[in-house]
Amino acid sequence: MLRSALRKNGQTPHICIVGAGIAGLRCADVLLKKNFKITILEGRDRIGGRVYQNHALGTPLDMGANWVHGTENNPIADIAIETKSMSKEPQDSHDGQSVFDSEGRLIEKSLGNRYSEKMWSVIEEAFAYSTKNGASIDSRTSLYDFFVEKAAELDSKEGALKSEAPNGHMLDQPSLNQLTLLQVAELWGAYVGDDVRRQSLKYFWLEEVIDGENVFLTSSYSKILAHIARPALEKADIRFNTVVTSIISPSPNSLTQKVALYTSSTPPLEFDDVVLTCPLGWLKRNTRAFTPPLPSPLEKAILGIGYGRLEKCYIGFSQPWWRKSDPESTEPEKSQLASSIQWLSPSYAPETNPERWSIQAMDLSALPPPPSPPSNTSTPGPEPNATILFYTTGACSTYLVSTTAPLSPEERTAFLLSFFRPYIALLPHYSPHNPACKPTGVLATAWSADDLAGNGSYSNFPVGLEKGDELIERMREGMPQRRVWLAGEHTSPFVALGTVTGAWWAGEGVAERIGEAYGGNVE
C-alpha cells in the first residue's frame, strides 16, 4: 500500500540491484519495462558474475557456467538457439564415459559405458526414492550411502561384470565391480560441486532439473550473456567496482525512509527497494552486514543450504593428439575415448595426489562444434577442440586453489601442469617427446578464493540438512517488508536450483513481485 502511494505521488521508484549477474540483469530488464529507475551496483569491472569468459587461450572459455541443463521450456535454451550458441536440435553432451582404473588402465569402452549407464540408473532411482520417501529419510544419509546399497546388489541382480586379467582370461570380480561403481559415482560431485558423500539423499529430489537434453556450450555463454545484458547496459545506471559492505533497511510501514547501502567506494546510497543478487556464499559470510539483523528464520535458511566447491582447469594443445595415432594426419580418427573421462582413485600419483582424489574431465574435441563461430575471438591460440577441461570438487578444489593462491602466474601454471600431467600421460598416443603433447596454455578458476563469488560455486544440499525445501522458500521470500529482496540460483524454482536458468527465473520473479508491490507499471 505504501509503495502504491509513492507511485501515486508522481515519484518514480528507484530500485537498486546489487550484482550484475544473470539474476540481476534479468531483474533489471523486467523492471525497466515497467518504467522503474534502476541502478546496478557491481563489485567487479564486468557483468556476468559467475557467467564469465576468459580469452587467455585465444578463444572464449567459460570459467563459470558452461551447460544448459534441460532444453524443454527453458528460456536460456531459447536464447542459446536465438544467438546461435546452440543448435535447434541439440544433442545431449553425455556420450558415455571413458574410465581409467586406480592403476591407470583404461577400462574397455563397453564396460566403462556400462558402469556409466549403471551410475545414471542409480541416480534416477535416487531421485525417485528421495521424491517419494524424503520425509522419512534420515537427514544423515548421503547419496553415496544409496550407491553403496545399490552396489551391493550389482552382482546378484546382473551377474558379475567381467574384467580381463593379464593372461587374457575373463574373471568374475564382484568386489572390484562394486568398488568401481562407487568410484564412478564420484562423477556426480561435478554436478553438485562437492563430494558425493556430502550430498543429502533426503533432499536429492531438489537436484532434479528441467526436462530435455543437457548441453555443453562449446561456443561459450558469451553471446547469451550479451543478449541478456543488453537492456541493462542501455538503460540502467551500472556502477562497476562498487562493493556493498552494509545494508540498512527502514522499519516496516515507513513511507519516508529508504534502504541505505554503504559501499567500499561511495558515500551512503539510498533507494526505495534493494534486490540482493549476491551469491549464497556471500550471504553466508556477510549475515552481519544487515541492520537491523536478519530475521532468525532467514539467517537459518542462508546458513543451512550448502555451497559447492567446483573448480575448472583448461589445458590447451595445438591439436587433439589423443585422437590421432598419426600426428601428421588431418583426418579425424575414431577414438576409444568418450567426451567424459574419469581417472578413478589414482594410486600412481602419490607425490601430487596422495589423497587419491578421482579426477574428471571433458574432452572438448569430442563435442559437436558450435553452430556458429565463437564471438570475440582474440589472438590466435589452441582451437576449442584441442582443449581438455578438468573438473575438481570439494577438498581437491580447496587444495588446488589454496596452494596456487600465493604463486606467481608462471609458478601456478607449472604447479597445475604437474598435478594434471599423470592423467594426461595416460591418454592414447601420449609421448613426452611429441611436441603436440606439450600444453600450449593453462587456464584455471579460483572461485573458492573469490569473495564476490561467495568463495564457492553454487548452492547444494548437504548431509544433515533439515527442511531444505522450506529454507529455499524462506530465502525466496526475502524481506519485502524491509524493502530488501533476494534473487539468485539459490532462490529459484526447485526445478532450476543451481543453474543459469534458475538465476534468470529468480530475477524475473522478484521483479514481478516488486511491480505488484507498486501497483503495476510505473507511469
Side-chain angles (χ1 to χ4, degrees):
M1 181 179 298
L2 293 175
R3 290 185 177 90
S4 298
L6 179 67
R7 174 190 167 189
K8 290 177 181 179
N9 288 337
Q11 301 178 51
T12 299
H14 191 181
I15 311 299
C16 177
I17 299 170
V18 180
I22 297 299
L25 294 170
R26 178 55 179 164
C27 185
D29 183 12
V30 175
L31 289 175
L32 286 166
K33 290 176 181 176
K34 296 179 182 293
N35 300 316
F36 286 82
K37 181 180 179 181
I38 302 299
T39 294
I40 301 177
L41 303 182
E42 168 55 53
R44 305 181 191 276
D45 59 0
R46 59 170 178 81
I47 60 170
R50 286 166 286 169
V51 176
Y52 161 57
Q53 295 77 44
N54 190 306
H55 296 71
L57 297 189
T59 192
L61 295 173
D62 282 313
M63 305 305 285
N66 51 15
W67 289 83
V68 173
H69 293 288
T71 51
E72 297 181 13
N73 300 313
N74 183 341
I76 299 300
D78 295 340
I79 296 171
I81 293 171
E82 181 180 348
T83 58
K84 294 183 169 53
S85 302
M86 186 176 78
S87 67
K88 293 183 179 180
E89 296 181 358
Q91 296 181 344
D92 197 287
S93 297
H94 297 293
D95 66 342
Q97 183 85 5
S98 292
V99 180
F100 290 87
D101 69 15
S102 61
E103 301 300 319
R105 297 169 297 204
L106 180 62
I107 296 176
E108 194 274 325
K109 192 169 185 179
S110 63
L111 183 57
N113 284 339
R114 188 174 174 187
Y115 281 122
S116 177
E117 290 166 3
K118 180 61 180 177
M119 184 206 76
W120 285 106
S121 175
V122 174
I123 289 293
E124 291 178 4
E125 288 185 64
F127 275 133
Y129 183 79
S130 178
T131 300
K132 181 179 180 180
N133 303 290
S136 60
I137 297 174
D138 190 317
S139 65
R140 296 169 294 181
T141 305
S142 70
L143 176 62
Y144 187 80
D145 294 329
F146 190 82
F147 265 98
V148 170
E149 180 181 329
K150 294 301 174 181
E153 302 171 1
L154 180 64
D155 299 293
S156 61
K157 282 189 174 182
E158 301 182 5
L161 298 177
K162 305 290 184 177
S163 61
E164 188 172 349
N167 60 9
H169 294 296
M170 302 304 294
L171 300 177
D172 291 344
Q173 295 184 320
S175 60
L176 177 59
N177 293 326
Q178 294 168 9
L179 176 62
T180 303
L181 177 61
L182 292 176
Q183 291 173 339
V184 170
E186 294 181 9
L187 160 68
W188 189 255
Y191 290 84
V192 298
D194 222 324
D195 192 323
V196 68
R197 296 167 183 80
R198 294 167 61 97
Q199 167 69 53
S200 169
L201 179 63
K202 185 180 184 71
Y203 290 103
F204 190 50
W205 62 273
L206 288 172
E207 296 285 359
E208 196 156 15
V209 297
I210 301 167
D211 291 337
E213 308 299 335
N214 290 295
V215 182
F216 186 101
L217 295 177
T218 52
S219 63
S220 86
Y221 258 95
S222 57
K223 290 182 288 184
I224 298 172
L225 176 59
H227 178 96
I228 294 171
R230 187 176 301 115
L233 291 173
E234 292 176 352
K235 299 178 181 179
D237 173 22
I238 304 181
R239 305 181 189 182
F240 293 104
N241 300 307
T242 304
V243 178
V244 172
T245 57
S246 62
I247 303 102
I248 301 176
S249 53
S251 58
N253 302 320
S254 171
L255 179 61
T256 57
Q257 294 185 13
K258 298 176 182 286
V259 182
L261 297 181
Y262 286 76
T263 78
S264 59
S265 56
T266 66
L269 304 171
E270 292 189 341
F271 301 94
D272 293 306
D273 282 84
V274 169
V275 181
L276 294 176
T277 69
C278 312
L280 174 61
W282 187 93
L283 294 173
K284 286 175 174 290
R285 291 172 175 265
N286 291 275
T287 56
R288 296 295 177 262
F290 295 84
T291 303
L294 290 172
S296 178
L298 179 55
E299 182 174 10
K300 179 180 179 181
I302 290 170
L303 297 177
I305 300 299
Y307 200 58
R309 296 174 288 172
L310 176 67
E311 301 289 352
K312 301 177 180 181
C313 182
Y314 291 93
I315 300 183
F317 299 88
S318 60
Q319 59 178 286
W321 49 265
W322 52 93
R323 292 185 177 270
K324 295 181 178 181
S325 56
D326 179 5
E328 303 300 323
S329 173
T330 59
E331 296 297 319
E333 179 179 308
K334 186 175 181 181
S335 175
Q336 55 186 308
L337 295 178
S339 61
S340 181
I341 310 170
Q342 193 175 17
W343 293 264
L344 304 179
S345 188
S347 64
Y348 44 85
E351 293 184 0
T352 56
N353 186 2
E355 300 295 330
R356 299 180 62 172
W357 293 305
S358 291
I359 304 297
Q360 173 73 20
M362 287 290 291
D363 170 13
L364 302 194
S365 74
L367 298 174
S372 63
S375 63
N376 301 322
T377 300
S378 57
T379 57
E383 296 297 324
N385 65 357
T387 302
I388 298 175
L389 167 56
F390 288 93
Y391 291 98
T392 63
T393 61
C396 182
S397 291
T398 299
Y399 166 71
L400 292 178
V401 171
S402 62
T403 302
T404 57
L407 303 181
S408 69
E410 295 77 14
E411 291 171 333
R412 187 170 189 245
T413 294
F415 177 86
L416 291 170
L417 284 177
S418 69
F419 183 85
F420 290 109
R421 186 174 290 111
Y423 318 110
I424 295 172
L426 293 176
L427 297 178
H429 318 309
Y430 175 81
S431 168
H433 307 295
N434 182 356
C437 298
K438 182 179 179 180
T440 57
V442 177
L443 185 60
T445 63
W447 296 111
S448 299
D450 187 330
D451 292 341
L452 294 179
N455 305 98
S457 49
Y458 45 82
S459 59
N460 60 27
F461 307 95
V463 169
L465 180 65
E466 298 283 1
K467 300 182 179 179
D469 50 342
E470 295 180 18
L471 298 185
I472 294 292
E473 290 172 340
R474 182 62 189 86
M475 288 194 293
R476 191 184 299 153
E477 179 186 347
M479 297 184 290
Q481 72 284 359
R482 285 168 49 174
R483 300 175 180 263
V484 176
W485 313 72
L486 304 182
E489 51 83 13
H490 52 288
T491 69
S492 79
F494 292 150
V495 74
L497 289 163
T499 68
V500 175
T501 304
W504 165 283
W505 276 335
E508 181 179 80
V510 162
E512 294 292 351
R513 290 169 61 199
I514 290 175
E516 292 172 3
Y518 281 93
N521 292 357
V522 179
E523 299 300 331

Coordinates of all heavy atoms in Angstrom, one line a residue, residues 27 45 67 167 171 202 239 294 339 358 425 469 497:
C27 N 16.4 -9.2 -13.7 CA 15.6 -8.4 -12.8 C 15.5 -7.0 -13.4 O 14.4 -6.3 -13.5 CB 16.1 -8.4 -11.4 SG 15.1 -7.5 -10.2
D45 N 34.6 -5.4 -12.4 CA 34.7 -4.4 -13.5 C 34.0 -4.9 -14.8 O 34.3 -4.5 -15.9 CB 36.1 -4.1 -13.8 CG 36.9 -5.3 -14.2 OD1 36.4 -6.4 -14.2 OD2 38.2 -5.2 -14.5
W67 N 27.0 -25.1 -19.2 CA 26.0 -26.1 -19.6 C 24.6 -25.4 -19.6 O 24.4 -24.5 -18.9 CB 25.9 -27.2 -18.5 CG 27.1 -28.2 -18.5 CD1 28.3 -28.0 -17.9 CD2 27.1 -29.5 -19.2 NE1 29.1 -29.1 -18.1 CE2 28.4 -30.0 -18.9 CE3 26.3 -30.2 -20.0 CZ2 28.8 -31.2 -19.4 CZ3 26.7 -31.4 -20.5 CH2 27.9 -31.9 -20.2
N167 N 46.4 -62.5 -18.3 CA 46.6 -63.6 -19.1 C 45.5 -63.8 -20.1 O 45.5 -64.8 -20.9 CB 46.7 -64.9 -18.2 CG 45.4 -65.1 -17.4 OD1 44.4 -64.4 -17.6 ND2 45.5 -66.0 -16.5
L171 N 37.6 -63.0 -15.7 CA 37.4 -63.3 -14.3 C 36.2 -62.6 -13.7 O 36.0 -61.5 -14.0 CB 38.7 -62.9 -13.5 CG 40.0 -63.6 -13.9 CD1 41.1 -63.0 -13.1 CD2 39.9 -65.1 -13.8
K202 N 18.1 -37.2 1.4 CA 16.8 -36.7 1.8 C 16.3 -35.6 0.8 O 15.1 -35.6 0.5 CB 16.9 -36.2 3.2 CG 15.5 -35.7 3.8 CD 15.7 -35.2 5.3 CE 14.4 -34.9 5.9 NZ 13.6 -36.1 6.2
R239 N 27.1 0.8 -12.0 CA 28.3 1.3 -11.4 C 29.2 0.1 -11.0 O 28.9 -0.7 -10.1 CB 27.9 2.1 -10.1 CG 27.0 3.2 -10.4 CD 26.6 4.0 -9.2 NE 25.5 5.0 -9.4 CZ 25.0 5.8 -8.5 NH1 25.6 5.9 -7.3 NH2 24.0 6.6 -8.8
L294 N 19.3 -9.8 10.4 CA 18.4 -10.6 9.6 C 17.4 -11.3 10.5 O 17.8 -11.7 11.7 CB 19.2 -11.7 8.8 CG 20.1 -11.2 7.7 CD1 20.9 -12.4 7.2 CD2 19.2 -10.7 6.5
S339 N 33.6 -38.3 -24.6 CA 33.8 -36.9 -24.2 C 34.1 -36.8 -22.8 O 34.8 -35.8 -22.4 CB 32.7 -36.0 -24.7 OG 31.5 -36.4 -24.0
S358 N 39.7 -38.7 -7.1 CA 39.3 -39.0 -8.5 C 39.3 -37.7 -9.3 O 38.9 -36.7 -8.9 CB 38.0 -39.7 -8.6 OG 38.1 -41.0 -8.0
A425 N 49.1 -38.0 -19.3 CA 50.1 -39.0 -19.8 C 49.4 -40.4 -20.1 O 50.1 -41.2 -20.8 CB 51.2 -39.2 -18.8
D469 N 13.6 -27.7 1.6 CA 12.7 -27.0 0.7 C 12.2 -25.7 1.3 O 12.0 -24.7 0.7 CB 11.6 -27.9 0.2 CG 10.9 -28.6 1.4 OD1 11.5 -28.7 2.5 OD2 9.8 -29.2 1.1
L497 N 17.3 -25.0 -9.5 CA 18.2 -24.6 -8.5 C 19.7 -24.8 -8.9 O 20.0 -25.9 -9.5 CB 18.0 -25.3 -7.1 CG 16.7 -24.8 -6.4 CD1 16.4 -25.9 -5.3 CD2 16.9 -23.5 -5.7

